[in-house]
Amino acid sequence: RYHNYVFGDHLLYHLPAKFHVKADIQQLLVSVVRDSECEMYPSISSDESYSLVVKEPVALLKANRVWGVLRGLETFSQLVYQDAYGTFTVNESTISDSPRFPHRGILIDTARHFLSVKTILRTLDAMAFNKFNVLHWHIVDDQSFPYQSTTFPELSNKGSYSLSHVYTPNEVREVIEYARLRGIRVIPEFDSPGHTQSWGKGQEGLLTPCYRSHQPEASGPINPTLNTTYSFLYKLFKEISWVFPDRFIHLGGDEVEYDCWESNPNIQTFMKQKGFGTDFSKLESFYIQKLLNIISTLKKGSIVWQEVFDNNAKLQPGTVVQVWKEQNYAKELSSITAAGFPVIISAPWYLDRISYGQDWRLYYAVEPLNFSGTQEQKQLVIGGEACLWGEYVDATNLSPRLWPRASAIGERLWSRQDVRSLDDAYRRLTVHRCRMVRRGIAAEPLFTGYCDNVLK
């Protein structure tokens, strides 16, 4: 794969060099020092460190695991350039490298607009070019349920946009394996109890009936008062935990609207019985805690959006909280880490919000640990994610909206804290954007200019 990225079509012919170079790299020798983990899936604790020495006649790439090899191959491919005469050149280099944060993610949303498998695979390629290692797959939502469940086939039969807008078990496996070969974890998100309108189409009795004038008129969030709800969730998440090999499942838990619960007489009675009064956040927490227990019995870890923490749900140790609300997010980081929970930062990196100009500079300037807290608290920040929500995004504009804006976030999450220069970053990103375009990624320009070696 990387031979092709470096040399492309030049495998077919050799351009004559206009001058003789005394030193030649004859070979790139790759060695894995410890157990390679070649047959395994990447995880939050995967070792991605590597060392690279480029010196004639043999360049050496060493890593403890195969994950470091993948990152080192990407670096080596970025060191090679072609001069005006077509000669491939690489500067002598000695590099020792490892990521600053272990979780470096991209969120894609396949519910608001269906994304073809081909589009997802191309996104995984681009992620590898930028050393991202987590695909956060927000696979279902109110609008559609494209995940084809073998346990509950009616969920996608009735909840997808159409029967051709689904991800079959084979396609899901293809995405997971394609990601694995690039050192990328796939974390699915099945967001509940809100964002579940499409679930109700294929699972009768799951959603709460909303009342108006003593009559049920519509349906709202999942009904948290019924035993049948948790029996369904156990079976569904048992399947999900088997299909997706990663240790974590994202459970959502954001933006639950309480009006429907409030209107329902059965829910009001349940609230009184439980002593919740009129505090519907307690009912939400009741639901979330039951779901967290289900995930725990399935031997998986949970990721939740920040509302779950904000509503004082009793979280199990190790539950990861994802911070997405931009207002006062530093204070939120302080609170969550003070309570001892690991954190993923997304608040400053919502790429679906676009503006005229070079907004990548704002993303690049973010310092993830810029909040008040002890060293122990800051170690609980496991990384961040660039989120590209799909209300206005499908295959036609996903790539240029993501890249190279997400590349700036990728560098922030990989590189050392003191790598801060916007001017240096601009020069690197301009070159890298052209590199991505050459590799078939429709990355938009950072500013005016042009790319060498890109076909007219």
Side-chain angles (χ1 to χ4, degrees), residues 323-349:
V323 174
W324 70 274
K325 295 185 178 180
E326 196 161 7
Q327 194 172 9
N328 292 331
Y329 77 85
K331 190 178 173 188
E332 185 81 7
L333 293 172
S334 296
S335 302
I336 296 167
T337 54
F341 295 106
V343 168
I344 297 166
I345 301 172
S346 293
W349 292 323

Side-chain angles (χ1 to χ4, degrees), residues 3 28-29 41 101-102 127 133 151 176 198 296 313 317 327 337 345 375 422 430:
H3 197 290
L28 172 64
L29 186 64
Y41 289 94
F101 294 102
M127 287 172 63
N133 66 351
T151 314
I176 291 168
S198 67
S296 180
Q327 194 172 9
T337 54
I345 301 172
Q375 202 51 43
L422 280 166
T430 304

